[in-house]
Protein backbone atom coordinates (compact mmCIF):
# COMPACT_ATOMS: atom_id res chain seq x y z
CA UNK A 1 0.00 0.00 0.00
CA UNK A 2 1.38 3.39 -0.96
CA UNK A 3 1.30 6.23 1.56
CA UNK A 4 -0.18 8.77 -0.84
CA UNK A 5 0.52 11.78 1.42
CA UNK A 6 4.22 10.91 1.58
CA UNK A 7 4.29 10.09 -2.14
CA UNK A 8 2.63 13.37 -3.17
CA UNK A 9 5.03 15.37 -0.98
CA UNK A 10 7.98 13.51 -2.53
CA UNK A 11 6.59 13.96 -6.05
CA UNK A 12 6.04 17.70 -5.52
CA UNK A 13 9.61 18.01 -4.17
CA UNK A 14 11.07 16.18 -7.19
CA UNK A 15 9.04 18.25 -9.66
CA UNK A 16 10.00 21.57 -8.03
CA UNK A 17 13.68 20.50 -7.97
CA UNK A 18 13.41 19.86 -11.71
CA UNK A 19 11.99 23.35 -12.28
CA UNK A 20 8.24 22.69 -12.32
CA UNK A 21 5.98 25.49 -11.15
CA UNK A 22 2.79 24.61 -9.30
CA UNK A 23 -0.12 26.96 -9.88
CA UNK A 24 -3.74 26.78 -8.86
CA UNK A 25 -6.03 28.81 -11.06
CA UNK A 26 -9.52 28.73 -12.51
CA UNK A 27 -9.83 27.91 -16.19
CA UNK A 28 -13.30 28.23 -17.71
CA UNK A 29 -14.50 26.49 -20.86
CA UNK A 30 -13.28 23.44 -22.74
CA UNK A 31 -9.65 22.65 -21.85
CA UNK A 32 -8.91 21.17 -25.28
CA UNK A 33 -9.83 24.49 -26.90
CA UNK A 34 -7.27 26.26 -24.67
CA UNK A 35 -4.61 23.56 -24.51
CA UNK A 36 -2.12 24.98 -27.01
CA UNK A 37 -2.40 28.52 -25.62
CA UNK A 38 -1.82 27.31 -22.05
CA UNK A 39 1.14 25.14 -23.04
CA UNK A 40 2.75 28.13 -24.75
CA UNK A 41 1.86 30.53 -21.90
CA UNK A 42 3.59 28.29 -19.35
CA UNK A 43 6.26 26.82 -21.62
CA UNK A 44 4.88 23.43 -20.58
CA UNK A 45 4.90 20.00 -22.17
CA UNK A 46 1.80 18.78 -20.32
CA UNK A 47 -1.22 19.93 -18.33
CA UNK A 48 -2.36 18.03 -15.25
CA UNK A 49 -6.14 18.25 -15.00
CA UNK A 50 -7.13 17.92 -11.33
CA UNK A 51 -10.43 19.74 -11.56
CA UNK A 52 -12.86 17.89 -9.33
CA UNK A 53 -16.37 19.19 -9.92
CA UNK A 54 -15.22 21.35 -12.84
CA UNK A 55 -14.29 18.23 -14.83
CA UNK A 56 -17.52 18.28 -16.85
CA UNK A 57 -17.01 21.89 -17.93
CA UNK A 58 -13.32 21.48 -18.78
CA UNK A 59 -13.69 18.28 -20.74
CA UNK A 60 -16.87 19.18 -22.60
CA UNK A 61 -17.81 15.54 -22.05
CA UNK A 62 -21.35 14.94 -20.75
CA UNK A 63 -20.37 11.44 -19.56
CA UNK A 64 -18.07 12.94 -16.88
CA UNK A 65 -19.61 12.88 -13.42
CA UNK A 66 -18.38 13.41 -9.86
CA UNK A 67 -17.80 10.78 -7.24
CA UNK A 68 -18.78 11.53 -3.66
CA UNK A 69 -17.04 10.01 -0.70
CA UNK A 70 -15.87 10.30 2.86
CA UNK A 71 -12.70 9.34 4.72
CA UNK A 72 -11.78 9.16 8.38
CA UNK A 73 -8.51 8.47 10.09
CA UNK A 74 -8.33 5.81 12.82
CA UNK A 75 -5.36 4.88 15.01
CA UNK A 76 -4.15 1.49 13.77
CA UNK A 77 -1.69 0.52 16.50
CA UNK A 78 -3.23 -2.82 17.52
CA UNK A 79 -4.47 -1.60 20.92
CA UNK A 80 -8.23 -1.23 20.29
CA UNK A 81 -8.49 -3.90 17.57
CA UNK A 82 -6.03 -6.17 15.75
CA UNK A 83 -3.72 -4.08 13.57
CA UNK A 84 -4.92 -4.01 9.97
CA UNK A 85 -2.02 -4.67 7.59
CA UNK A 86 -3.74 -5.22 4.24
CA UNK A 87 -6.05 -3.02 2.21
CA UNK A 88 -9.60 -4.14 1.49
CA UNK A 89 -12.14 -2.79 -0.99
CA UNK A 90 -15.72 -3.94 -1.59
CA UNK A 91 -17.66 -2.78 -4.64
CA UNK A 92 -21.43 -3.05 -4.93
CA UNK A 93 -23.07 -3.70 -8.28
CA UNK A 94 -26.41 -2.33 -9.51
CA UNK A 95 -27.94 -4.97 -11.77
CA UNK A 96 -30.64 -2.56 -12.95
CA UNK A 97 -28.02 -0.36 -14.64
CA UNK A 98 -25.32 -2.98 -15.14
CA UNK A 99 -22.57 -0.98 -13.49
CA UNK A 100 -20.57 -0.75 -10.31
CA UNK A 101 -22.02 1.83 -7.97
CA UNK A 102 -20.40 2.15 -4.57
CA UNK A 103 -17.10 1.23 -2.98
CA UNK A 104 -16.15 0.84 0.66
CA UNK A 105 -12.46 0.56 1.50
CA UNK A 106 -10.04 0.21 4.38
CA UNK A 107 -6.45 1.26 3.73
CA UNK A 108 -3.65 0.97 6.32
CA UNK A 109 -1.02 3.70 6.16
CA UNK A 110 2.65 3.58 7.14
CA UNK A 111 2.22 5.76 10.24
CA UNK A 112 -0.19 3.61 12.31
CA UNK A 113 -3.16 5.24 10.65
CA UNK A 114 -6.06 3.36 9.13
CA UNK A 115 -8.18 5.10 6.50
CA UNK A 116 -11.67 3.62 6.20
CA UNK A 117 -13.85 5.33 3.64
CA UNK A 118 -16.44 5.09 0.95
CA UNK A 119 -17.14 6.49 -2.47
CA UNK A 120 -20.19 6.40 -4.67
CA UNK A 121 -21.36 7.70 -8.01
CA UNK A 122 -23.69 10.60 -7.33
CA UNK A 123 -24.24 12.00 -10.85
CA UNK A 124 -24.93 15.54 -9.69
CA UNK A 125 -22.75 18.59 -9.21
CA UNK A 126 -22.83 19.87 -5.65
CA UNK A 127 -20.28 20.70 -2.99
CA UNK A 128 -22.86 20.54 -0.19
CA UNK A 129 -22.45 17.87 2.44
CA UNK A 130 -25.31 16.72 4.63
CA UNK A 131 -25.65 13.95 7.19
CA UNK A 132 -29.14 13.30 5.80
CA UNK A 133 -28.09 12.93 2.16
CA UNK A 134 -29.27 9.72 0.50
CA UNK A 135 -27.37 8.62 -2.64
CA UNK A 136 -29.45 8.71 -5.79
CA UNK A 137 -32.06 11.16 -4.46
Amino acid sequence: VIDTDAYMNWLRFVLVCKGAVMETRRIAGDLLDQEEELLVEYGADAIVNATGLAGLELTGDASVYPLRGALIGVVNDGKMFPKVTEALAVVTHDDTRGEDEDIVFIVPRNDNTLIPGSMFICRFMSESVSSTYTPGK
Side-chain angles (χ1 to χ4, degrees), residues 2 11 17 21-22 27-28 32 34 37 41 56 62-64 83 99-100 107 112 114 116 123 130:
I2 295 173
L11 184 58
C17 286
V21 176
M22 307 293 169
I27 299 173
L32 286 177
Q34 304 171 65
E37 179 183 329
E41 178 181 343
L56 173 62
S63 69
V64 171
K83 186 167 183 161
E99 59 189 36
D100 293 335
V107 180
N112 281 338
L114 185 64
R123 300 190 197 292
S130 167

Side-chain angles (χ1 to χ4, degrees), residues 53 64-68 120-128 133-137:
L53 289 177
V64 171
Y65 52 85
L67 299 175
R68 171 151 261 161
F120 60 90
I121 299 169
C122 57
R123 300 190 197 292
F124 68 91
M125 302 294 210
S126 173
E127 293 180 22
S128 67
Y133 173 75
T134 303
K137 295 196 176 190

Side-chain angles (χ1 to χ4, degrees), residues 1-5 72-77 81-89 105-117:
V1 174
I2 295 173
D3 183 335
T4 53
D5 291 338
I72 60 171
V74 177
V75 176
N76 186 29
D77 60 6
F81 52 85
K83 186 167 183 161
V84 177
T85 59
E86 295 183 20
L88 171 70
F105 50 88
I106 301 172
V107 180
R109 302 297 290 269
N110 295 339
D111 60 354
N112 281 338
T113 301
L114 185 64
I115 306 291

Side-chain angles (χ1 to χ4, degrees), residues 1-80:
V1 174
I2 295 173
D3 183 335
T4 53
D5 291 338
Y7 175 72
M8 293 305 290
N9 286 333
W10 172 82
L11 184 58
R12 178 185 267 278
F13 173 78
V14 169
L15 290 170
V16 169
C17 286
K18 292 185 176 283
V21 176
M22 307 293 169
E23 179 176 326
T24 301
R25 105 180 213 201
R26 175 147 175 75
I27 299 173
D30 192 321
L31 184 59
L32 286 177
D33 293 342
Q34 304 171 65
E35 179 181 21
E36 199 56 44
E37 179 183 329
L38 290 167
L39 291 172
V40 170
E41 178 181 343
Y42 288 98
D45 296 318
I47 297 170
V48 176
N49 180 354
T51 54
L53 289 177
L56 173 62
E57 177 187 349
L58 281 179
T59 62
D61 182 349
S63 69
V64 171
Y65 52 85
L67 299 175
R68 171 151 261 161
L71 302 172
I72 60 171
V74 177
V75 176
N76 186 29
D77 60 6
K79 293 180 182 174
M80 298 294 288

